[in-house]
Amino acid sequence: MTAHTAGDGRHRPAPTYGMLLAVLGVVYGDIGTSPLYALKTSLAHFAGGQTGHLEIMGVLSLIFWALVLTVTVKYVLLIMRADNRGEGGILALMALAQRVSVGAHMRNVLGLCGIAGACLFFGDGIITPAISVLSAVEGLEISAPHLAEYVLPISIVVILVLFMMQFHGTGRVGRVFGPIMLVWFVALGALGVVQIALHPYVLLALLPSYAVTLCLHHGLLAFIVLGSVVLCVTGAEALYADMGHFGAPAIRTAWLVLVLPSLVLNYFGQGALIMADGAAAENPFYLLCPKWLQLPMVILATAATVIASQAMISGAYSMARQCVQLGFLPRLVVRHTSTHEEGQIYMPQVNSAMLVGVIILVLAFKSSDNLAAAYGIAVTGTFLCTSFLATVVFRRQYHWSRLTAVSVFGFFFIIDFLFFTSNLLKVPEGGWVPLVLGIALTALMTSWKRGRDLLLARWKQDSMPLAPFLARLPQSRTTRVPGLAVFLTGNPDYVPTSLLHNLKHNKVLHERVLFVTVQTVDEPEVSADRRTDVAELAPGIHRVVLRYGFMESPNIPRALEDLDGEIGFDPMQASYFLGREVLVPAMAPKMPWWRLWLFLVLARNAVPATEFFRIPSDRVVELGVRVAI
């Protein structure tokens, strides 16, 4: 095997068998469990005996070409080339697009597009555990009909256990994910092959002519069916989002060699079964299995859906941390569950919010068929945002001509738009759930961003530039006392308000002073040689700038300890001075009242800087100030 080079110039080793196994467990859980409900839901639109040869072959053709065009061509072959220093995901793509774009207005548009996609991803993360677990446990209705009334309670128990185990981290459990998903995909392909061998003519659905004929014959109904067909590509965004963990070569290899063939074989096997026995449309996935295998498949499917849900939950943690680092959410609790892997984190606030949302969805919709209406909008909305951002990146960064970029991604945008608008028809049936959630989260994030920008502008207006302060310091006769004071400041060119308040009330300055500024850059991770900048501003006074990527969690004490040789940092002698703003509404607020209310609520519930930057609480001095915005 040869080495591959990532888009950031780093050399990645060729994918090993262990890496491919891990890819199956982490990346392909969501899309790998779609056969449980995608075909069944799509064919359910043809009610009253309309499910004939044309409908089955047409839907199979639509599913096949959705997998080929949306997943294989758009994501696997194209979008995954647009990595932000090896990382993927819609926020990484947004940062990349903003970096190569010109004009503040365009950057704001791209930022809003990325945030909208991220908010819809959160909606997807709440719906996935609900629909996946429900669809797996519903297999009991086939294998053991007398247990049908326990489907809902069992589903809730599985979901509760899944979310309650999150604080342990995914490291240990992750080792068994891969083998389970390998068995799952092999089982999918094998079950499909058996039925295809009995009815091989179903393979003619590989021809796109069947999809075209279905659309021409059924018109509006075929357009409505597209809203369910899109369920077969849910999880496509995970391929891109998890690229930083495994690299594009491993994800591409697993998709082309095992995942895509297994999915196609299973869908076509289900179609062959329904053509042979129309009654099988009730639950074609489980009816593919012989009677003795149905209960083991329920257990295997439940394990696979838990894995799919785990991938979305972990993805939501990563997305939330990125939003915090990029300034779109207030500081949240981030707990690291691994001493080796930076990416393995647990966010209790996000976990609790998702658990409540999933339980509400399960109790409100009660079945996977009902939930399917809510699922598609979240997925297709993210697809649209990704296509738009990718057009900018491939035009600017990869120097595609405008005609090529617009033609290629315009084609995919049209496909995504058809999927999205067909799902809009399902808004009354449940499609309103991700829309409401996405709009609410977008309003919340943009309000926080706007409020922080106003706060920074007000802070600059009231602050003193650092240069004249240092110039006057020798003549000020300020008493210098022993010790090391660390002042956190958002802008390295201004005097921290906490220092000014300390001078005003205590009339002293420590012998050794560090002005520390934490900056988040539009890269996933910052290399060790670019992490810090240290400058001596005056005798005993240093400025330290710490840079972190949006996939990293800041740790100020550890970073300062690494600089011990340059600044003589002793963690047992350091005192940290922080300014705490008490926010109040101004007489003439610069934000609408609802945005101001949202911002104030978020600010009051933000995690303290001491916890977020991992500063020892017994070494902190906080000095408060009232700020009107």
Side-chain angles (χ1 to χ4, degrees), residues 473 476-482 502-503 506-511:
L473 188 60
S476 66
R477 297 182 182 179
T478 301
T479 304
R480 304 290 289 266
V481 297
N502 188 48
L503 282 175
N506 298 322
K507 310 292 192 297
V508 297
L509 186 66
H510 288 70
E511 284 181 341

Side-chain angles (χ1 to χ4, degrees), residues 364-417:
F365 288 87
K366 296 184 171 58
S367 76
S368 60
D369 287 343
N370 295 337
L371 260 174
Y375 205 6
I377 287 181
V379 176
T380 53
T382 307
F383 285 176
L384 280 171
C385 295
T386 300
S387 293
F388 176 68
L389 293 171
T391 307
V392 176
V393 172
F394 277 79
R395 169 77 179 96
R396 299 279 185 179
Q397 176 155 330
Y398 296 101
H399 308 296
W400 284 19
S401 69
R402 181 172 298 173
L403 178 62
T404 303
V406 171
S407 298
V408 171
F409 288 104
F411 170 72
F412 290 116
F413 190 90
I414 291 171
I415 294 175
D416 297 337
F417 185 74

Side-chain angles (χ1 to χ4, degrees), residues 548-623:
Y548 290 90
F550 56 76
M551 292 287 289
E552 299 179 287
S553 297
N555 188 330
I556 289 179
R558 180 186 296 173
L560 294 179
E561 282 188 61
D562 292 340
L563 294 173
D564 185 35
E566 296 182 59
I567 58 176
F569 179 78
D570 183 355
M572 301 308 296
Q573 297 297 320
S575 296
Y576 295 85
F577 288 79
L578 280 71
R580 176 183 285 272
E581 302 103 347
V582 178
L583 304 176
V584 294
M587 294 297 292
K590 296 183 180 180
M591 297 169 65
W593 68 267
W594 61 273
R595 280 193 180 276
L596 181 61
W597 179 81
L598 271 178
F599 178 72
L600 294 176
V601 168
L602 290 173
R604 288 170 190 144
N605 289 278
V607 170
T610 51
E611 185 172 348
F612 185 75
F613 293 121
R614 294 189 250 184
I615 300 171
S617 56
D618 59 344
R619 308 210 63 82
V620 172
V621 178
E622 289 192 344
L623 299 164

